[in-house]
Amino acid sequence: MDLSIKSFEDYQKVYQHSVEQPEQFWDTVASSFVWKKKWNKVLDWNFKEPDINWFVGGKLNITENCLDRHLADKGDQPALIWEPNDPEEHHRAFTYKQLHQKVCLFANVLKNNGAKKGDRICIYMPMVPELAVAVLACARIGAIHSVVFGGFSAQSIADRIQDANCSMVITADGSYRGTKEVPLKNVMDDALVQCPSVKRVIVLTRSRTPISMIKGRDVWWEDEIKKVETLGMLNCPAEEMDAEDPLFILYTSGSTGKPKGVVHTCGGYMVYAGYSFQNVFQYQPEEVYFCTADIGWITGHTYIVYGPLAMGATSLLFEGVPTWPDAGRFWDIVAEYKVNILYTAPTAIRSLMQFGLDFVKDKDLSSLRVLGSVGEPINEEAWNWYHEHIGKKNCPIVDTWWQTETGGILISPLANVTPVKPCFATLPLPGIQPILVDEKGEEIIGNGVSGNLCIKFPWPGMLRTTYGDHERCRVNYFATYENLYFTGDGCMRDEDGYYRITGRVDDVINVSGHRIGTAEVENAINMFSDVVESAVVGYPHDIKGQGIYAYVILSRETDDDELTRKDISMTVSRIIGAIAKPDKIQFVSGLPKTRSGKIMRRILRKIAEGEVNSLGDTSTLLDPAVVDEIKNGRLS
Ligand code: PRX
């Protein structure tokens, strides 16, 4: 069944229907997928607990939708194309038939090594096709994958493995990113010291750097594949999963405590990933689609692996970085593979803009039809550059707003369907009911208004829980405003009813499109031996969107401020990962606190932003003098 929306009138009709009769609407959408058994009920829900069940009683396996169902018509079409870090190295491509075989083989490797339905498996791998294979192989046997981005530290990996009580790890010896080689297995070994639950580690060969291999625990991917081949275990039947069985866990930062394991389930996630992919990008048969994200983030899960494959698309995955060997790398890839749809992040666009047009001007970008943006608000300059120099003013830009928790895109133009407006995520997808509320949770009606963005009705791709701690899920997302899912984002709705996301309203910073909790960074800084206390806020950063500004109180004078800053950064790198390193560290003797001891972050934010003359009311401060000291010592 063709579920593509073809025109704006069509969108308006479908949207209306999806709001008036959501169950009927999603019933039709879900029916276009392959199920082992049809559901008895489309939806059963309440946002109070929350308890959300889509396609109740339905049975399926997502990999049958991503692989098996395409074999007859699209078996010889490339499913994945892989561009390695080094352009001199051979690229690889896998047809749907080949990918199906590889997933079946590796699924049998997992089984052979003791993995079974419901087990949690941590994946820490480079951006190579085997990463997608590992993800799909877990789904094939019903194991729950927890992919950890390659830039996280051993401590972060250990926290995630322990939280999910993973029994197995899939990793690689090393990975390449531009000129850097990352020793993945070494980092994993450091993490595993703290993880007795892990009984088996499967290691893919990528960089063939020397690594330790522990007898009885560590095995090579290639050896294990040979074993199952020798045993003739070439096919692997897809495990029957309940629609509400967990498919994966993905950790994401919030405003408090350690990252939360967001849980997505098999049926609803699949339906939403496929439906949103098809409609936002308006994918046409045989097109090449290139999402530049890493599979370690939700964008890679939904829009490199599951969404495109569910819809039989050709998905390109890239191991390297946009600026190596030079700042024309994306454009070389677009030209070489005749990419039709490019989906990237504002931070990548801003970093490439800096290099000027020399790296763009001779590149053949004529294959491009649709451009996408994700992860953070896109500023007007970046939007215009993308539109003019990459899209040659011919390609719609779909500014897609969503979150790890939402599973897929919620607010976005549909390419060539929704009239776009620079920097606006525009309108909700069918089935999505956004509302804006004020601080008290009262709905803000009408247009030309701003407020906190909430969603008032469930959609199939939404999170169901946070792993091992359902109460945390309730408190974080469903308790701020009664009967609403709270996104944590501020938003305006203009005169035309178009939505523009203005950024987080909680203590989460968006650095280069990555979510970082201020509390997490503070905890890491506080682990440095000479730190008494710290406070972290975001500030506008030309390339990263937001940078990390840390105010730190030390227990003694430093001999060398710069060296101490580096020591603190190294500590943060060790505890969280290089992505969380502060951009600026200002040493202070005190922090602005209320009489009840609460840090006034509003003031610290203003100072970090350079708005030192508009600090607002400081009369409730315990010690107003501290503000002058901080203002005077501000790092520009
Ligand atoms: O603040 C919003 C911002 O990124 C947050 C979600 O981050 P994460 O879960 O890591 O997922 C990123 C990829 C989907 C949101 O709460 N955000 C995401 N997309 C946009 C955005 N802000 C503005 N415009 C967007 N298009």
Side-chain angles (χ1 to χ4, degrees), residues 252 297-299 343 373-378 399-406 411 425 487-489 501-504 510 513-515:
T252 189
W297 307 109
I298 191 68
T299 308
Y343 190 28
S373 171
V374 61
E376 48 178 320
I378 182 165
D399 179 355
T400 65
W401 173 82
W402 58 298
Q403 310 177 297
T404 305
E405 295 85 345
T406 68
I411 305 183
T487 64
D489 280 322
I501 312 300
T502 46
R504 303 287 304 193
N510 192 326
H514 300 149
R515 246 159 91 168

Side-chain angles (χ1 to χ4, degrees), residues 272-288:
Y272 201 75
Y275 181 77
S276 57
F277 170 76
Q278 185 58 48
N279 278 295
V280 169
F281 300 105
Q282 296 281 314
Y283 182 84
Q284 305 297 317
E286 292 176 28
E287 283 191 326
V288 177

